[in-house]
Amino acid sequence: MKHNDTILYKWIDFFSVVSVVSMFFWYYNSFEGGAFIYLFEYGLLLLIMFCIYISTLIFIIYRVLNGKGKMMFLSKVFHVSFAVLLLTTTIYNSELFKSAVIIKAIMVDDLYSYTLVFRTDGGVTTEINGMFGYTETINGKYHLSDSLIIFDIQPYDKGFLKDTMLIDPSSNALYMYKDSNGQFIKKKDWLSNFDIIEMSQY
């Protein structure tokens, strides 16, 4: 192997590792709700890392297809590992291995939308979407008692969601608040209820 090729492969390994690690941390922050915020703060740097990532990936694929990629072991390990991570998390977060949805309801305020997704296995998630592409998912547990949803593990801070919610199919709403007599207030108002957008027989 030529000396120049050896130097080239070392640089490819270096840029592959740096770009893949950068993409990994940016991807990881998507689960913490901050991927797009980081994109606005470090947009130029992330763009450079993304271009390097794509360039090294194309170079490696080209070399491998031409039987000249044996020396780029580190590059191949990092790129393949990241590809496997993307594929695995995409499948895991898809509906493929999740139980059926019983109720899906949404509430929107000035900055965020909150979507509650209740499933047949007793799992519930709060999917939060906000400005600048902010996303976050919080998991919890619940069980049903007649027309009541009782949270065993709340999918959000207790100051926001109450321990119990009322399902009211007639108004397509989930109500959270009670009056002084302990009865649910069946009145749609700002931030007082979730609007049901999907419901099967529960």
Side-chain angles (χ1 to χ4, degrees):
M1 180 180 294
K2 295 181 179 179
H3 178 66
N4 289 340
D5 286 341
T6 302
I7 295 176
L8 173 63
Y9 290 154
K10 286 183 178 180
W11 277 109
I12 293 297
D13 277 343
F14 171 76
F15 283 118
S16 293
V17 171
V18 171
S19 62
V20 170
V21 169
S22 299
M23 291 297 99
F24 168 78
F25 279 108
W26 186 57
Y27 183 66
Y28 171 79
N29 274 283
S30 68
F31 296 100
E32 301 296 321
F36 280 89
I37 295 176
Y38 278 103
L39 182 61
F40 277 94
E41 291 182 351
Y42 307 104
L44 181 59
L45 178 61
L46 286 171
L47 178 61
I48 292 172
M49 289 296 104
F50 179 74
C51 290
I52 294 174
Y53 169 78
I54 294 298
S55 299
T56 54
L57 179 61
I58 292 173
F59 181 84
I60 292 167
I61 293 173
Y62 173 78
R63 285 287 183 167
V64 169
L65 291 177
N66 285 275
K68 299 179 180 179
K70 295 181 180 180
M71 294 300 295
M72 294 180 292
F73 176 77
L74 196 59
S75 296
K76 289 184 288 186
V77 167
F78 270 75
H79 275 288
V80 170
S81 298
F82 187 58
V84 171
L85 173 67
L86 288 177
L87 180 62
T88 303
T89 53
T90 299
I91 294 174
Y92 177 78
N93 290 318
S94 70
E95 295 292 319
L96 191 60
F97 299 108
K98 295 180 180 179
S99 61
V101 174
I102 297 177
I103 298 173
K104 182 182 288 188
I106 189 170
M107 182 174 70
V108 180
D109 65 14
D110 291 337
L111 300 176
Y112 301 95
S113 68
Y114 307 88
T115 304
L116 286 172
V117 182
F118 299 89
R119 298 183 180 275
T120 55
D121 64 355
V124 54
T125 58
T126 302
E127 299 171 357
I128 307 168
N129 294 282
M131 296 178 63
F132 308 115
Y134 177 89
T135 60
E136 186 178 3
T137 300
I138 304 173
N139 298 307
K141 291 288 184 181
Y142 80 100
H143 67 273
L144 295 173
S145 178
D146 295 326
S147 59
L148 297 178
I149 296 171
I150 302 172
F151 291 109
D152 302 310
I153 301 175
Q154 286 201 342
Y156 205 73
D157 183 82
K158 288 186 177 181
F160 173 65
L161 289 178
K162 304 304 178 183
D163 293 329
T164 306
M165 302 179 76
L166 174 68
I167 306 170
D168 186 13
S170 63
S171 60
N172 281 326
L174 303 179
Y175 295 105
M176 298 186 290
Y177 298 106
K178 299 179 181 180
D179 59 22
S180 58
N181 297 318
Q183 300 297 314
F184 279 96
I185 302 172
K186 296 183 181 181
K187 180 182 179 182
K188 288 190 174 184
D189 202 356
W190 192 62
L191 301 183
S192 68
N193 67 277
F194 281 78
D195 292 315
I196 297 174
I197 56 177
E198 180 182 336
M199 183 168 64
S200 62
Q201 188 67 34
Y202 65 90

